[in-house]
Amino acid sequence: MTVPEAAEVGWYVHVPFCAKRCGYCSFNTAPLEDGAMARYLDALHREIDLLGALAWAPRVRLATVFFGGGTPSLLADDDMAAVLDGIRARFDVAPDAEITVECNPESVTREKLEGYRGAGVNRLSLGVQSLDDAILPRLGRLHDARGARAAFDAAREAGCANLSVDVMYGLPGLDLDGWARAVDAVLDWRPDHLSAYGLTLDAGSLWGAAGVEGIPAEQVQIDQYWRLARAAATRGLEHYEISNYARPGFRSRHNQIYWRAAEYLAAGPGACGFVGSTRYANVKATPRYCETLAAGALPIDSSEQLSSRQKLGERLILGLRTADGVPASWLETRLDGDERLRRRVDTWRAQALLAGADDRVRLTEAGFLLSDALFVDLL
Ligand code: SF4
């Protein structure tokens, strides 16, 4: 495995189970069957041990650990504590490391979250998605609006001082008024961080394959984006990445590692890591992931060495997702000798989609909205 270059890295841990699959979801997850969690945890501990035994492991400090999924909050609190203890036993976890767990409202209680906190978890990301009790079951979610609020309150009561909420717009049956009500209600909860994703019909999802009716028109989705952007600004949240808002000091440190194209390790089925110039992915199928580790091997399935041109393209695209943008010199290097792209970028500036100051260039909020089209040109 490639040796990390940075002294500090992040670590993404994938939990590949959900109580039920959501129609829009293309993540690597499956319904939790009897005994599957125990087999997965056994394999995960083996993976942590194998990574911890690599020669470079003692030199690397973990700045963040992020449990994503799937539904990581299906883990019992003592299982979560055992995983974190395993990581701490083999790696130098920074004293102020950000340790995040993604949670679904129906799978948390105050007691479980107190247990997570005792294990060292200091950030929770709550998957609310909608506060409409007619829409939530259509999505395949198992909670209702009341349950979402109760989970948020349970997290606060458990002492969580860094609490993020995920919501989605562009959902089937969601009109602008319904979205405005949900935005205002969630902002009234005073989350420290808010992630808002527009629905996409990914190929690997149920809806991507079978289609879904009632998706709002494109202009309604654009209006929903702006409704949130304006409401969040009024409440003092900074729009620091295309889909993310934070109170000052509460940006997701782990996700910023991704957006800065910095290094992170991976554990769990299908988890992706990036070290040096190498992107790698673990075996996706959970049974094969467990078998590979039972045989004593790291479950790395594929890896790709990025060329310097690919790396620059990635850094531009990831960095331009953020309000901080990228050094102007990076964009200049990409434009060197590409007059067609230079003209495109000049057009973005003229349309106020791209702005620059202090030797950095960044997308404006209007540019965020069109970023997918812009990024195709930059690769
Ligand atoms: S959206 Fe979350 S809860 Fe739903 S299937 Fe995907 S990972 Fe599981």
Side-chain angles (χ1 to χ4, degrees), residues 167-184:
V167 289
M168 294 177 73
Y169 59 94
L171 294 173
L174 181 66
D175 61 16
L176 186 56
D177 283 347
W179 173 246
R181 281 195 300 277
V183 163
D184 292 342

Side-chain angles (χ1 to χ4, degrees), residues 17-18 20-22 24-25 27 29 69-71 104 129 141:
F17 305 114
C18 291
K20 184 181 174 204
R21 180 116 200 176
C22 302
Y24 58 84
C25 180
F27 295 156
T29 183
T71 307
N104 276 2
Q129 315 312 359
R141 307 296 293 186

Side-chain angles (χ1 to χ4, degrees), residues 50-132:
L50 285 173
L51 288 168
L54 295 173
W56 50 260
R59 295 197 304 274
V60 168
R61 169 168 272 206
L62 299 179
T64 66
V65 181
F66 190 102
F67 291 87
T71 307
S73 53
L74 289 174
L75 260 74
D77 53 350
D78 51 353
D79 288 332
M80 181 64 73
V83 171
L84 283 168
D85 284 349
I87 290 174
R88 279 193 211 93
R90 285 153 194 83
F91 287 86
D92 174 18
V93 180
D96 67 341
E98 177 190 271
I99 302 179
T100 304
V101 177
E102 287 184 339
C103 299
N104 276 2
E106 74 284 353
S107 61
V108 297
T109 60
R110 175 182 169 165
E111 292 70 28
K112 181 187 270 189
L113 297 179
E114 282 173 348
Y116 283 4
R117 185 160 180 249
V121 173
N122 52 25
R123 184 172 183 273
L124 298 175
S125 173
L126 191 63
V128 168
Q129 315 312 359
S130 170
L131 288 180
D132 186 323

Side-chain angles (χ1 to χ4, degrees), residues 24 32 34 145 223 234 253 279 282 304 315 340 364:
Y24 58 84
L32 182 58
D34 271 359
D223 292 345
T234 305
R253 286 169 54 199
R279 186 201 324 283
N282 273 354
E304 180 192 14
R315 291 175 118 189
R340 191 194 65 85
T364 61

Side-chain angles (χ1 to χ4, degrees), residues 12-13 26 40 42 50 89 91 93 96 105 109 112 117 137 146 169 211 233 245 256 303 311 335 369:
Y12 175 75
V13 181
S26 59
Y40 157 77
D42 185 51
L50 285 173
F91 287 86
V93 180
D96 67 341
T109 60
K112 181 187 270 189
R117 185 160 180 249
R146 183 192 289 248
Y169 59 94
Y245 302 78
Q256 286 189 108
S303 63
K311 215 169 163 179
L335 296 183
L369 197 52

